[in-house]
Every structure is written in structure tokens, then in C-alpha cells.
Amino acid sequence: MRAEDLTPVELRVRDAFSRGERLDLRTGDPEHDDPAASDDWGPERVVRGAALTWLLLDGAVAEPGHVPALRLDGARVDGSLELDYAEIPYRVTMDGCDFRGRVTLYSARTRQFSLKRCRLVRFYAANASVDGTLRVRESRLDGLLKLDGIHITGSLDLAGSRLTHADGPAVSANRLQVDDDVRMSDGFTAEGEVDLRGARVGGVLDLSDARLSHPGREALRAARIHAEGDMICDRLRISGEIGLPGARVEGVVRFWGARLSNPGRRALHGYHLEVGTSLHLNDDCAVEGTIDLSGARVDGRITLRDARISAPDGVALALPHAQAEEVDLRMSRPPQGVVDLRHAVLGVIRDTPRTWPDELRLDGLRYGRFENPLPPRQRVRWLLRDGSGYTPQPFEQLALSYRSFGHDDDARTVSLLKERLRRKTLPRYARVWGAVQDATVGYGYRPMRAGLWLLGLLVFGSVVFGVRHPTRTTRGSTEVFNPVIFTLDHLLPVIGLGQGEAFTPTPGTQWIGYVLTGCGWILATTIVTGVTRSLNRR
């Protein structure tokens, strides 16, 4: 193309370009200037894509004292703007334009490239390099936005844009590298998948007030993404899955007031997600589907304060093998579905009985303490919501938690309740022996019971033998009968006090002596067994 081939309006664009001035072709009527109404625009507002390509690649003649720049508003661009592999040393800023063909920057090198309030059918900038900001803001794109492998030294700004692609992903940005922020906020809408796999973001990934829709599939595909700042998803509305497996966010991940919907499937998939500060799903955050944070590592808190999770007949919250300094489970209502905490490692657990789930999975869970420890019998009811059957580890962990804060009595109560539940899983003969241990010494956790039993039997035997004196077994013996010592001689196995050898019960009370001897052996055996078990737990 030559300068002689330019139309009058294209000559105006060339002159403004040479001086770096803005050329505004709009009429001032918002309805008429809407790019959707560009069919009614006359030739005075139509620029060919080939002419713009020529200007950017070959047609720049800078006027003295000016820096060339393409600053064009309110134009209809007929044909494609094809800048593949180009070196573009100029700033491109276009506002309110309608692109009838593709805009392509494949493997190009350019300065700031800004499209605002425009309408596009395709935008390809894979493997491009942008020295500054790439902006497609408040625009309408009825095709694919392809940014695979692009490197942007500034920020990527897609705020307020609406992207629709019926045949595939709305945004494809594999291996995207942005040195500053990525903004998909302020009403950004994508109907189709937003693919950010392997992206590197030097600042904040902002999805606040965005709308993403890809029902039943991944709406945000961000596996292995690395954000050096925060990931802000406040008031995000999403239909489909947020996929963050292997992602790393060095700041905060925040879903304040968000609405995540993927019924019957995972709404948030954070397998081995790493968060450097905290993960917040609170302030009336509502989730339809599963929050799966299996193996996630959060250096700060995981908070679900006042959240609502609904996954009937499935898992509402999955935290197996997750790690966090603190977890806040004080939701606005009990989650509908299972809460899976198996093998998680948590510092502090904040919860309230009002929002306990109907079913928990707790085997292998380790934690430092509960902010609200509750009386042991009430906290054990929390353990009993584990529907997988009796497992000893959750009881041992709870007892350890009480003991670490000096609540030894509460720890013993938990251990006793654990033994009682365990007894129900044993064969009948073992259940009988367990009931004896429970009644006598509380499995070693209630040793005072043995003293009370011993005292009661001692009083009983002393009264009986005080009324019905036994007969002397050896003539000429000088042993003086004492009913208390005689009873103790029967109750205490192994130890002999002499009364049992010098005297023998009368036929009417002989069976009482046998009962006392048997009870003594039972008490001694249960005390040894219970104390041994108690010491082993320590």
C-alpha cells in the first residue's frame, strides 16, 4: 500500500498518527456511537485494517517534535489488522471502534496496546511481547482471545469486557507471563472456559465482580498458576469449576461474597494448592458443589466464616492431607454434605455446635487445639459424627489436645469414652471383661473407683465377720481376731496378714470369704490392666 491509496479519513488518521495526536470520529451521540451500530456509520468513519497495518509497519513519518502513536476513536475497521511477527515501536490506543476482521499480534513485539469499548471478532496475540500494558477493556469479543505464551511487562487489563466463544474457550492464555497485575474484574464476563494454565503473574490476579460461565465443566482453568501477589475473587459469580490444582499464590486467596455453582461436581478444585497467607471463603460466600482442597498448604488461615456450602449426598468440604495454621468452620448454617478432614494437619480449629455437619470424616486428623474446646462429652459427640465407624485416632488426638493445655481430667474422660465405644466392637467375652474394667476402675482412668469398691467390700466383710466370728484353725494360737484385718486378708491377693491362716469362716459365711477373695483378684487385675493402659497412653 502507498500513501496515494489512502482514503480521506485514512489520510486524517496518518496525519494524526505522525503527530501522536488523538483522532476522534465519534458524533457525540452515545447510541449512534455504539460499535454495535456501526452499520449506520458513513465512509467518514470507516478505516481499512490494511491501511492501519501499513501505517504501523511502514507509513510512520514523524513530524519534528512529535512521537508517532496510533490514537483512534470511533472508527469501523474493515478487514483484519494483521501484525504477526511485527516490531511495533508505537503506542496503539483505540476507543469505541468496531473491528470487522481479526486483530492478530502473533509473535509480535509492541509497546502499550489498548482497546477500550471496542467490538471484536478475534484477538490473537500468542507468543507476543508487550512492553507495557495490554488492554482490552469494556469491550465485546465474539470469538477467541488467544494469549498463549505472551509476555507483558506491565499489566493485562480485561476489566469490564464480555467474551463469548460458542466453539471453545473464551480466553486461552497458557503460559501467560505478566510482570504486573491481571485484571478480569468490574463485570468482566466470559461465556466459555478461561484457560490460565501455567500462567505467571507478578502482581494481583483480580477477578472481583467477574462473571464466568461454563456449566458442568471448568470455567476457570488455572492449574499450576503462580501469582506473586493476591488472588481476589470478591463477589465472583461462576457457573462451572474453578480449577487450581498445583497453583501457588504467595499472597491472599479471597472469595468474599462470591457465588460458586457447579451442582453435583467440584465447584472449587484446589488439589495441592499453595497459599502464602490465607484462604478466605467468607462474608456470605455461597457454594453449590464441592470445595476440594485435598493436600492444600495454607501458611495462614482457611476461613469459611458465614459461608454456605451445599453438596447434598456428596462431600461439601474436602481437606484431606491439607495443612493450615487455622481453620474457621463457623458457617452461617451446617454444610449440606460431608466434611472430610482425614489426615489434615491444622493448628487451631474454630467451630460451633450450631453449624456442625451431619457427617464428618476424621481419621488421621491432627490439630493443636480448639478455640472453643467444649466439655469433653459434648466434643465427643462431634467425633461421633464420623460415619465411617469406630476409629481410635480421633479420640487419642482429642485427648492429646486437652492434655496439652493441662486439662488432664477432660483427657481421661475422652479416653474412657473411647474405651466404652471400643468395647462395642469386641466379642461378647471381651465385652464382659471390659464392662468389669469399666465398673471397677474406669479402664484405669477412674482409679478412685477401685478404692470405693475396696472400702465397700471391707465394710461389708467387717460387719459380716464381726457378727459371725470365724472359728480358730490352730489350737493354742494366740492370734486375736480382728474382722477388719480378716476381711483385708481375703481382699488383698498375695499379701498375707496372718488372720486368714489363723481363722476360717463358719459354714454359713464361708461363701462370703470366697466372694471377697474373688473380688480382690478381680480388682487387682483390673487395676494393673487399667493403670498399664493409662501409662502407655502417656
Side-chain angles (χ1 to χ4, degrees):
M1 181 173 287
R2 299 172 301 173
E4 294 79 8
D5 299 325
L6 299 178
T7 65
V9 67
E10 291 169 352
L11 288 172
R12 294 178 60 196
V13 173
R14 184 199 61 177
D15 294 342
F17 175 79
S18 299
R19 295 189 296 271
E21 295 178 350
R22 178 179 298 278
L23 177 60
D24 192 346
L25 303 178
R26 292 175 291 194
T27 64
D29 180 355
E31 185 174 342
H32 183 66
D33 290 333
D34 187 339
S38 65
D39 286 339
D40 297 332
W41 296 353
E44 72 281 359
R45 297 183 64 175
V46 177
V47 179
R48 291 171 295 170
L52 295 179
T53 300
W54 176 76
L55 283 173
L56 290 170
L57 299 183
D58 303 309
V61 179
E63 292 192 12
H66 297 275
V67 177
L70 179 59
R71 304 173 66 194
L72 178 62
D73 299 342
R76 190 179 82 200
V77 180
D78 285 349
S80 297
L81 180 60
E82 298 192 8
L83 301 167
D84 296 343
Y85 302 101
E87 295 275 348
I88 307 169
Y90 315 113
R91 182 176 64 169
V92 176
T93 303
M94 303 180 73
D95 190 345
C97 295
D98 181 21
F99 291 84
R100 295 297 180 91
R102 301 183 306 173
V103 178
T104 64
L105 293 164
Y106 183 82
S107 292
R109 296 179 62 87
T110 182
R111 298 283 182 90
Q112 176 172 303
F113 200 96
S114 176
L115 305 179
K116 189 174 181 180
R117 290 185 288 268
C118 294
R119 189 170 74 163
L120 305 101
V121 293
R122 292 286 191 277
F123 190 101
Y124 292 166
N127 299 321
S129 178
V130 180
D131 185 11
T133 296
L134 175 61
R135 181 178 292 115
V136 183
R137 186 181 177 93
E138 299 174 40
S139 298
R140 174 70 183 262
L141 180 60
D142 295 322
L144 174 64
L145 175 62
K146 191 173 182 64
L147 302 174
D148 298 328
I150 193 172
H151 180 201
I152 303 171
T153 62
S155 61
L156 172 63
D157 188 357
L158 305 177
S161 289
R162 182 181 182 89
L163 283 66
T164 304
H165 189 205
D167 299 328
V171 179
S172 180
N174 293 314
R175 299 168 286 102
L176 165 77
Q177 184 174 344
V178 179
D179 294 350
D180 206 338
D181 299 337
V182 173
R183 289 188 287 271
M184 299 180 179
S185 55
D186 301 327
F188 171 82
T189 301
E191 296 182 12
E193 181 182 83
V194 175
D195 188 353
L196 300 177
R197 286 176 296 168
R200 297 292 183 268
V201 180
V204 175
L205 175 58
D206 188 358
L207 287 153
S208 54
D209 294 296
R211 306 289 186 271
L212 308 181
S213 179
H214 200 205
R217 304 177 68 181
E218 279 188 289
L220 176 61
R221 197 175 186 186
R224 303 180 308 281
I225 192 172
H226 180 193
E228 295 182 17
D230 300 332
M231 180 175 177
I232 306 300
C233 302
D234 298 346
R235 300 171 300 280
L236 170 67
R237 301 293 187 270
I238 185 165
S239 177
E241 179 182 314
I242 298 177
L244 296 170
R248 181 181 176 189
V249 180
E250 297 188 13
V252 171
V253 177
R254 205 170 71 194
F255 288 87
W256 288 354
R259 298 288 185 271
L260 316 182
S261 178
N262 200 25
R265 297 178 176 86
R266 290 178 303 206
L268 174 60
H269 180 205
Y271 179 74
H272 281 276
L273 167 68
E274 294 185 24
V275 180
T277 307
S278 294
L279 172 60
H280 301 278
L281 294 109
N282 50 0
D283 285 359
D284 197 35
C285 176
V287 181
E288 262 190 288
T290 298
I291 298 176
D292 185 357
L293 299 174
S294 303
R297 189 180 73 190
V298 180
D299 291 343
R301 297 179 294 164
I302 299 175
T303 62
L304 293 104
R305 183 72 181 269
D306 297 325
R308 291 174 285 136
I309 310 176
S310 177
D313 304 319
V315 177
L317 175 63
L319 289 172
H321 300 281
Q323 300 179 43
E325 293 181 0
E326 180 181 315
V327 171
D328 192 338
L329 300 173
R330 295 174 293 182
M331 305 178 202
S332 62
R333 68 185 187 193
Q336 298 178 18
V338 178
V339 173
D340 187 352
L341 302 176
R342 289 175 298 173
H343 304 287
V345 180
L346 310 173
V348 179
I349 298 178
R350 302 175 186 269
D351 68 349
T352 174
R354 181 178 60 83
T355 60
W356 282 351
D358 291 334
E359 185 175 350
L360 285 159
R361 295 176 185 169
L362 300 171
D363 188 28
L365 170 64
R366 289 182 289 158
Y367 49 88
R369 66 182 179 90
F370 288 95
E371 185 191 48
N372 181 18
L374 299 176
R377 291 183 181 275
Q378 187 174 2
R379 181 55 70 182
V380 165
R381 286 199 288 271
W382 181 75
L383 299 183
L384 294 178
R385 291 175 182 249
D386 190 334
S388 57
Y390 169 77
T391 50
Q393 188 275 337
F395 292 87
E396 295 288 352
Q397 176 62 51
L398 181 57
L400 178 63
S401 176
Y402 280 121
R403 193 175 293 115
S404 66
F405 284 90
H407 299 167
D408 288 341
D409 288 343
D410 291 342
R412 286 192 291 270
T413 297
V414 171
S415 297
L416 174 59
L417 294 173
K418 184 204 74 170
E419 292 295 339
R420 288 175 176 172
L421 290 169
R422 174 179 172 270
R423 188 170 75 216
K424 296 178 181 179
T425 68
L426 299 175
R428 180 171 297 180
Y429 69 89
R431 292 202 298 268
V432 173
W433 176 238
V436 172
Q437 292 186 73
D438 190 2
T440 51
V441 291
Y443 287 97
Y445 302 110
R446 295 291 184 265
M448 288 298 296
R449 288 185 184 178
L452 294 174
W453 276 102
L454 185 62
L455 179 61
L457 291 170
L458 179 61
V459 170
F460 173 72
S462 299
V463 170
V464 170
F465 294 121
V467 174
R468 300 285 299 274
H469 284 206
T471 58
R472 192 180 298 275
T473 58
T474 306
R475 291 186 178 183
S477 174
T478 60
E479 184 80 26
V480 178
F481 175 73
N482 185 310
V484 175
I485 302 300
F486 182 76
T487 303
L488 281 174
D489 224 345
H490 282 77
L491 283 174
L492 300 177
V494 182
I495 300 174
L497 301 177
Q499 292 276 306
E501 296 179 357
F503 302 93
T504 184
T506 60
T509 59
Q510 201 169 34
W511 64 272
I512 295 178
Y514 297 150
V515 169
L516 291 175
T517 301
C519 288
W521 277 104
I522 291 173
L523 279 174
T525 304
T526 55
I527 288 172
V528 171
T529 303
V531 169
T532 301
R533 179 185 293 110
S534 182
L535 290 175
N536 287 339
R537 294 297 181 270
R538 292 177 180 272

